[in-house]
Amino acid sequence: MTKKIPFAKISISNKEKELVNEVLESGWLTTGSKTLEFERKFSEYINAPFACAVNSCTAALHLGLEALGIKPGDKVFVPSMTFTASAEVVRYLDADPIFLDTEYQTNLITPEILLDAIEKNPGVKAIVIVHFAGQAVRMNEIKEICSKNGLKIMEDAAHAFPTKYDGKYIGNFGDVTCFSFYANKTITTGEGGMLVTSDEEIYKRVKVMRLHGINRDIWDRFTSDKPSWEYDVVEAGYKYNMPDICAAVGLGQLDNAEVFRKERQKVIEIYYDKLSSLTELDLPICHDAIENHSWHLFPIVLNEKANITRNDFITKMSELGIGTSVHYKPIHRMTYYKKKYNLDEKDFPNAEKTWKGNVTLPLYPYMNKEDVLYVCEKIKLILNL
């Protein structure tokens, strides 16, 4: 009998439902007390001084770069093996992304890759570091290189909560760190994101810019002891605030973040056990302790020994009831960036090697062992092993 195993599946408890009902019954649905509580608890969780909730990680990335002072014509390093948001926010500011290759089997920027890129591209102002699939980049070395070369660091941690590096949670290394709470992320608010920083001036700038450049939050204006409608627009800002309904879901999810991580780890331990002997597959390399990885994704690569193309593999998996995805089509292959910056695939050998065979396997909390073994069994069947 064919099973139906989704690629991703959210875990929602009664706690999230209770918190959402509290918001609905309060009559205050937009940014308010639940969002403030979510910001406070998230910053406490990762031990980051300042946290600002927004309506997407893309919004956080945009606000972060703007607060770092990126201007038209500036250059920003971005890995090619990432989601388009990591690069598009650079273009929002009329700056230019300089795309980098990544390490094979981790899709991470390494200190060696960065040093080579700095030598070839003098004058770059900042770097977007992507902690791919939930594994941290070697941030201590990256920070040292960036400090010596005057690069600001914005961490794209859309995959990386709760990820640790050198005993600290991601969110404590770069000038700005941005998290995603999209529907399939490690915790979710449906749509949403969080920007964290240790720089109070960056935090103040982001708070103003996330809501039209207004100098007072709507919650402050309408809940103060002495009613005061007065506000000022001090910058041409954006509409990036997180509603309380989303924050309520996030508060419930936050309580289970480490439980979810441990559950995902159980799944990948089976994948490693059952698939690591298959010479047709290149599995992700985990450089750090397994418990420091958030395990948002488990991307494999069908290598040159496989007797099937990536697309045919995905089709056969679907026919067997198994959901998969691809992370990612590299940005240097995307029409807009390829044409605008005259990008050559030969400059990204590791991303190209990954792209030709990458498939991301199902992974979510409470995925039962029987289903994981079914996925492994069907992979071997498709590969005729």
Side-chain angles (χ1 to χ4, degrees):
M1 180 177 176
T2 301
K3 285 178 170 285
K4 294 296 290 184
I5 301 173
F7 167 69
K9 185 178 180 181
I10 62 169
S11 297
I12 297 291
S13 70
N14 286 332
K15 182 65 173 177
E16 286 92 328
K17 297 172 186 176
E18 291 169 5
L19 289 165
V20 169
N21 279 334
E22 286 179 15
V23 175
L24 295 174
E25 291 169 3
S26 76
W28 188 278
L29 305 187
T30 187
T31 307
S33 62
K34 284 289 190 287
T35 304
L36 292 173
E37 185 182 359
F38 187 38
E39 290 173 335
R40 177 179 61 80
K41 288 190 174 181
F42 190 86
S43 66
E44 289 174 353
Y45 193 110
I46 64 172
N47 197 31
F50 303 104
C52 190
V54 288
N55 59 15
S56 70
C57 186
T58 305
L61 292 166
H62 184 196
L63 292 170
L65 277 185
E66 196 275 342
L68 290 175
I70 299 302
K71 305 293 185 187
D74 285 347
K75 296 178 180 179
V76 179
F77 288 130
V78 179
S80 183
M81 188 56 77
T82 185
F83 184 59
T84 183
S86 307
E88 72 188 42
V89 294
V90 179
R91 295 298 299 134
Y92 289 175
L93 299 168
D94 204 20
D96 296 305
I98 304 296
F99 293 105
L100 306 183
D101 201 12
T102 48
E103 180 183 45
Y104 185 63
Q105 291 179 268
T106 68
N107 297 314
L108 299 176
I109 289 176
T110 66
E112 296 78 15
I113 289 171
L114 179 55
L115 283 170
D116 181 63
I118 290 171
E119 184 177 344
K120 293 175 179 176
N121 301 276
V124 175
K125 296 292 182 65
I127 183 169
V128 177
I129 291 290
V130 176
H131 301 293
F132 197 96
Q135 181 169 199
V137 171
R138 289 148 57 187
M139 287 306 300
N140 289 340
E141 294 167 81
I142 292 291
K143 281 187 68 175
E144 184 177 353
I145 293 168
C146 289
S147 178
K148 288 180 179 178
N149 291 276
L151 268 71
K152 296 288 186 180
I153 301 173
M154 184 169 73
E155 296 175 79
D156 181 340
H159 299 181
F161 177 75
T163 295
K164 285 185 177 179
Y165 175 78
D166 194 26
K168 295 182 289 187
Y169 283 110
I170 290 300
N172 292 279
F173 296 93
D175 298 286
V176 169
T177 307
C178 304
F179 295 90
S180 174
F181 308 130
Y182 181 66
N184 68 349
K185 291 302 192 291
T186 55
I187 67 168
T188 185
T189 58
E191 294 277 2
M194 188 78 75
L195 181 149
V196 303
T197 182
S198 60
D199 187 317
E200 188 171 7
E201 292 307 310
I202 289 176
Y203 170 68
K204 289 178 178 178
R205 176 72 178 181
V206 169
K207 277 201 73 178
V208 168
M209 295 301 286
R210 77 172 169 179
L211 190 60
H212 303 297
I214 295 172
N215 66 342
R216 291 183 63 195
D217 282 345
I218 190 171
W219 178 250
D220 295 332
R221 301 207 314 273
F222 286 94
T223 60
S224 61
D225 292 335
K226 295 181 178 180
S228 174
W229 64 266
E230 180 66 33
Y231 65 90
D232 192 15
V233 174
V234 295
E235 289 286 354
Y238 312 99
K239 184 66 169 70
Y240 282 165
N241 58 303
M242 175 184 282
D244 263 16
I245 289 178
C246 295
V249 176
L251 283 167
Q253 292 272 294
L254 190 59
D255 288 342
N256 287 314
E258 180 58 22
V259 174
F260 292 162
R261 193 209 63 78
K262 288 179 178 177
E263 287 293 320
R264 292 189 299 271
Q265 182 178 318
K266 290 179 184 178
V267 176
I268 67 94
E269 286 174 344
I270 298 174
Y271 280 148
Y272 276 123
D273 179 52
K274 300 300 180 182
L275 301 178
S276 59
S277 63
L278 306 185
T279 59
E280 295 84 355
L281 302 181
D282 292 334
L283 305 186
I285 293 173
C286 184
H287 288 309
D288 205 344
I290 195 169
E291 62 270 16
N292 288 337
H293 197 308
S294 74
W295 298 111
H296 169 51
L297 302 172
F298 194 78
I300 65 172
V301 178
L302 296 163
N303 60 37
E304 62 280 355
K305 295 179 182 178
N307 59 357
I308 188 172
T309 67
R310 181 262 313 282
N311 290 354
D312 286 345
F313 178 88
I314 289 173
T315 298
K316 288 185 177 296
M317 291 282 276
S318 178
E319 290 170 351
L320 292 165
I322 301 169
T324 58
S325 190
V326 172
H327 294 83
Y328 293 100
K329 181 178 181 179
I331 297 181
H332 69 261
R333 280 181 165 263
M334 300 297 186
T335 299
Y336 170 78
Y337 295 100
K338 186 177 179 68
K339 286 185 176 180
K340 182 169 181 62
Y341 296 105
N342 194 29
L343 300 175
D344 190 335
E345 294 164 8
K346 294 193 294 293
D347 292 330
F348 306 92
N350 291 336
E352 281 294 300
K353 186 177 180 182
T354 300
W355 160 243
K356 290 174 182 176
N358 66 337
V359 180
T360 310
L361 300 183
L363 175 59
Y364 45 89
Y366 309 113
M367 183 178 176
N368 67 55
K369 184 176 181 180
E370 180 183 308
D371 287 350
V372 185
L373 292 174
Y374 178 85
V375 172
C376 295
E377 172 192 330
K378 297 311 177 186
I379 288 173
K380 293 177 181 179
L381 177 67
I382 292 169
L383 296 175
N384 295 319
L385 297 175

